[in-house]
């Protein structure tokens, strides 16, 4: 495989840097992709608000939200075939659309990690304490924040010690999470059909899969929440340089992650809506813990700790895996001279990007502690700002796929639909959701804090601030070291467009 670019292209740099090749296999990558989305926590945080918007059609909205994710996953698959670079979006967009767009895509990925790692670790600590009956500890901000920092440091150390150790831990966490979720769903559905639900149960219907059942405005709001339930699956692709069969396995892991997430979300979604009814879920939608912290006791009785541990292990796993995209992207950017070179350092023994990993963790801890000093709602507002960054770099990747393969799109229906039309449609849907998000976040009343920052909602201000800082850092580094901006765009190898000809 040839790598185009100036000087230290990803192919050469990888060999010099020494990331550990073939460290994990397809199944390990799949598990990491699944855990990165934090399925149990995502359901706990998002299902209630979706039901408040669309009622019984929540499963349909989750199904509709899956469509742009699958289309963008296809873009990741085909771009990874021509460039197995751990920087993913950063590297691909640079090759397809130039260094300025590529740099901003890499910045967006790195910043999502900074914004969310602290919150995920906080959720893991909170639900873990609740599961073991330590409610007083969970209510103490000093204890919870101290344990959160400890969790981030521990997960970071595991990431540095080795990709294999990270993968083994992820295997354990996903098994525990899936077991807990399935137990909850099976018990809930059984009690619905047995007629002994403690709430207002509703018999499940296939009609719930109709995303248009609640109307256009409600569908838009639901999709804004539903799309980001799937975010994180691309962590499998960020490990492309460390996965066996790197040209295809990471991309396949990403696609299969989205499919498995769809099945999981629909199963639990049907169970929760059927057991609790829409009124209970809508009333508790504002409480992030309502679905599994409150509903767990209704469904499981004295065994509610099982569900609390599901959310705990989900957030714990995602804390670790969310470090991966940010650190690998920083590594990729640094070795191509788009960021300071010390971020490209590889640990000589563990062969992992230790410096960039610890930098990501350190900035994430600083952000978590600083925002918590403002208020817990300010932390929630920073998470809401994630939607802007995620929609941006996903959409950028979809467009980059079509641009990169543009000379090969008319060579057959396969290329046109899967490499061209599909990723562009996925990008268009995400751009639409991005615009809708900006409009929604501009109203301070729609924020968790309910206050105005410069006449706008705090999430939008945070998103704008991150974008402005990114542009300033990019311009500064362009003046400091311009080598990255001298790279030329890549050229498609036709054999990679037609895998059967390889």
């Amino acid at each position: 495989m040839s790598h185009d670019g100036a000087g230290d292209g990803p192919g050469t740099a990888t060999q010099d840097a020494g990331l550990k090749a073939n460290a994990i296999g397809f199944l390990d990558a799949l598990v990491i992709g699944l855990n990165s989305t934090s399925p149990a926590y995502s359901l706990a945080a998002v299902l209630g608000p979706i039901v408040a918007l669309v009622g019984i059609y929540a499963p349909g909205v989750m199904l509709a939200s899956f469509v742009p994710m699958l289309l963008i996953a296809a873009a990741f698959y085909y771009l990874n075939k021509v460039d197995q670079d751990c920087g993913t979006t950063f590297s691909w967009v640079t090759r397809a659309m130039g260094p300025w767009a590529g740099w901003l895509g890499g910045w967006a990925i790195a910043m999502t990690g900074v914004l969310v790692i602290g919150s995920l670790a906080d959720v893991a600590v909170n639900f873990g304490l609740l599961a073991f009956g330590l409610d007083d500890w969970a209510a103490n901000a000093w204890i919870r924040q101290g344990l959160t920092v400890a969790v981030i440091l521990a997960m970071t150390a595991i990431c540095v010690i080795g990709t294999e150790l990270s993968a083994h831990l992820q295997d354990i966490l996903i098994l525990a999470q899936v077991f807990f979720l399935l137990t909850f769903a099976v018990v809930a559905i059984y009690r619905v059909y047995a007629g002994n639900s403690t709430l207002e149960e509703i018999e499940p219907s296939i009609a719930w899969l109709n995303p248009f059942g609640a109307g256009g405005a409600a569908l838009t709001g639901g999709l804004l929440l539903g799309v980001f339930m799937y975010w994180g699956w691309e962590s499998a692709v960020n490990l492309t340089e460390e996965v066996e069969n790197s040209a295809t396995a990471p991309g396949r892991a990403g696609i299969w992650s989205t499919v498995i997430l769809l099945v999981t979300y629909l199963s639990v979604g049907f169970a929760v809506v059927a057991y609790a009814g829409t009124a209970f879920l809508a009333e508790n939608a504002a409480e992030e813990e309502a679905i599994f912290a409150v509903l767990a006791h209704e469904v499981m009785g004295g065994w509610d700790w099982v569900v609390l541990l599901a959310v705990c292990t989900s957030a714990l796993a995602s804390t670790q895996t969310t470090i991966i995209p940010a650190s690998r992207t920083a590594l990729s950017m640094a070795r191509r001279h788009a960021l300071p070179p010390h971020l490209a350092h590889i640990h000589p023994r563990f062969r992992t990007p230790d410096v960039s990993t610890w930098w990501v963790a350190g900035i994430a801890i600083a952000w978590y502690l600083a925002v918590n000093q403002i208020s817990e709602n300010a932390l929630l507002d920073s998470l809401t700002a994630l939607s802007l960054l995620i929609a941006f770099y996903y959409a950028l990747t979809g467009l980059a796929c079509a641009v990169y393969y543009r000379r090969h799109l008319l060579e057959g229906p396969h290329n046109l639909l899967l490499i061209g039309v599909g990723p562009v449609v996925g990008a268009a849907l995400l751009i639409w959701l991005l615009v809708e998000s900006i409009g929604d976040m501009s109203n301070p009343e729609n924020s968790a804090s309910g206050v105005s920052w410069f006449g706008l909602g705090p999430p939008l201000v945070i998103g704008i601030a991150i974008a402005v800082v990114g542009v300033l850092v990019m311009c500064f580094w362009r003046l400091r070291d311009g080598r990255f901006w001298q790279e030329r765009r890549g050229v498609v190898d036709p054999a990679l467009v037609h895998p059967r000809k390889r």
Side-chain angles (χ1 to χ4, degrees):
M1 176 179 302
S2 64
H3 288 274
D4 303 293
D8 310 19
T12 319
T14 301
Q15 295 171 0
D16 296 340
L19 280 175
K20 190 171 184 179
N22 302 321
I24 60 175
F26 167 78
L27 289 179
D28 294 319
L30 175 63
V31 166
I32 288 173
L34 289 172
N35 270 332
S36 294
T37 63
S38 192
Y41 171 61
S42 295
L43 283 164
V46 173
L47 185 54
I50 290 179
V51 171
L53 286 168
V54 301
I56 59 174
Y57 300 105
V61 167
M62 288 189 284
L63 177 61
S65 303
F66 164 74
V67 175
M69 289 299 96
L70 181 63
L71 296 175
I72 297 302
F76 270 76
Y77 174 79
Y78 285 106
L79 286 169
N80 183 70
K81 286 174 70 67
V82 293
D83 184 7
Q84 292 93 60
D85 190 297
C86 65
T88 60
T89 294
F90 158 72
S91 181
W92 304 332
V93 174
T94 296
R95 292 179 177 280
M97 303 167 70
W100 297 96
W103 199 99
L104 290 174
W107 175 260
I109 294 176
M111 288 301 100
T112 55
V114 168
L115 290 180
V116 79
I117 287 171
S119 176
L120 289 168
D122 184 277
V123 169
V125 167
N126 190 42
F127 276 80
L129 293 174
L130 292 175
F132 288 101
L134 300 173
D135 296 31
D136 292 340
W137 286 28
N140 187 307
W142 289 103
I143 293 177
R144 194 177 70 251
Q145 291 177 26
L147 290 174
T148 295
V149 171
V151 165
I152 295 174
L153 294 175
M155 292 297 101
T156 304
I158 292 173
C159 287
V160 170
I161 289 173
T163 307
E164 298 102 318
L165 178 60
S166 299
H168 294 329
L169 177 60
Q170 292 297 316
D171 291 342
I172 295 171
L173 292 175
I174 194 65
L175 287 174
Q177 184 179 168
V178 169
F179 172 77
F180 294 148
L181 282 176
L182 289 179
T183 299
F184 172 78
V186 169
V187 171
I189 290 294
Y190 169 78
R191 294 189 64 179
V192 167
Y193 282 102
N196 61 359
S197 168
T198 57
L199 300 172
E200 299 179 5
E201 76 271 11
I202 309 172
E203 185 171 335
S205 169
I206 194 68
W208 293 4
L209 290 175
N210 176 17
F212 303 101
L219 172 62
T220 301
L223 285 173
L224 288 170
L225 294 167
V227 160
F228 303 110
M229 291 178 70
Y230 293 92
W231 169 63
W233 50 265
E234 76 274 11
S235 291
V237 192
N238 285 102
L239 291 170
T240 182
E241 298 175 28
E242 298 153 271
V243 178
E244 297 173 356
N245 302 317
S246 61
T248 58
R252 286 192 294 114
I255 291 174
W256 276 106
S257 294
T258 63
V259 174
I260 294 173
L261 286 169
L262 172 67
V263 174
T264 303
Y265 289 159
L266 290 183
S267 300
V268 177
F270 265 97
V272 168
V273 174
Y275 184 91
T278 57
F280 173 86
L281 297 174
E283 289 171 3
N284 291 276
E287 295 295 328
E288 192 175 81
E289 303 173 358
I291 302 302
F292 289 149
V294 178
L295 192 56
H297 183 71
E298 297 287 342
V299 176
M300 306 294 290
W303 290 83
D304 56 347
W305 58 269
V306 170
V307 183
L308 297 176
L309 278 181
V311 180
C312 174
T313 56
S314 173
L316 190 64
S318 192
T319 300
Q320 181 197 341
T321 54
T322 303
I323 296 171
I324 292 172
S327 63
R328 265 60 178 183
T329 298
L331 163 67
S332 179
M333 295 178 74
R335 70 189 181 189
R336 286 170 67 172
H337 314 294
L339 283 178
H342 69 275
L343 292 174
H345 183 268
I346 299 295
H347 194 284
R349 176 183 174 188
F350 303 124
R351 295 173 65 184
T352 55
D354 55 338
V355 174
S356 64
T357 301
W358 283 114
W359 265 100
V360 168
I363 297 173
I365 289 172
W367 176 266
Y368 167 75
L369 294 177
V371 173
N372 260 301
Q373 300 312 305
I374 301 175
S375 71
E376 287 190 16
N377 286 334
L379 182 62
L380 293 176
D381 285 334
S382 74
L383 295 181
T384 304
L386 275 176
S387 61
L388 302 175
L389 301 176
I390 298 166
F392 172 72
Y393 80 78
Y394 273 170
L396 204 57
T397 307
L399 294 175
C401 184
V403 172
Y404 197 84
Y405 282 101
R406 61 191 179 279
R407 295 186 179 91
H408 300 272
L409 296 181
L410 299 180
E411 293 178 359
H414 170 275
N415 290 4
L416 181 62
L417 295 177
L418 297 184
I419 305 178
V421 174
V424 169
V425 169
L429 289 171
L430 288 167
I431 292 172
W432 169 63
L433 290 173
L434 175 61
V435 173
E436 291 290 335
S437 294
I438 292 174
D440 183 62
M441 293 179 194
S442 64
N443 186 350
E445 295 180 0
N446 293 331
S447 68
S449 302
V451 298
S452 172
W453 290 4
F454 308 105
L456 300 171
L460 183 57
V461 174
I462 293 172
I464 293 173
I466 290 174
V468 170
V469 171
V471 171
L472 293 176
V473 171
M474 178 176 61
C475 292
F476 168 78
W477 197 252
R478 171 66 178 83
L479 296 174
R480 178 76 179 271
D481 185 346
R483 284 176 290 177
F484 167 67
W485 282 266
Q486 296 170 5
E487 288 192 13
R488 65 188 182 90
R489 299 182 187 184
V491 179
V492 181
D493 179 357
L496 297 171
V497 186
H498 306 285
R500 294 180 181 176
K501 297 181 181 179
R502 298 186 69 183

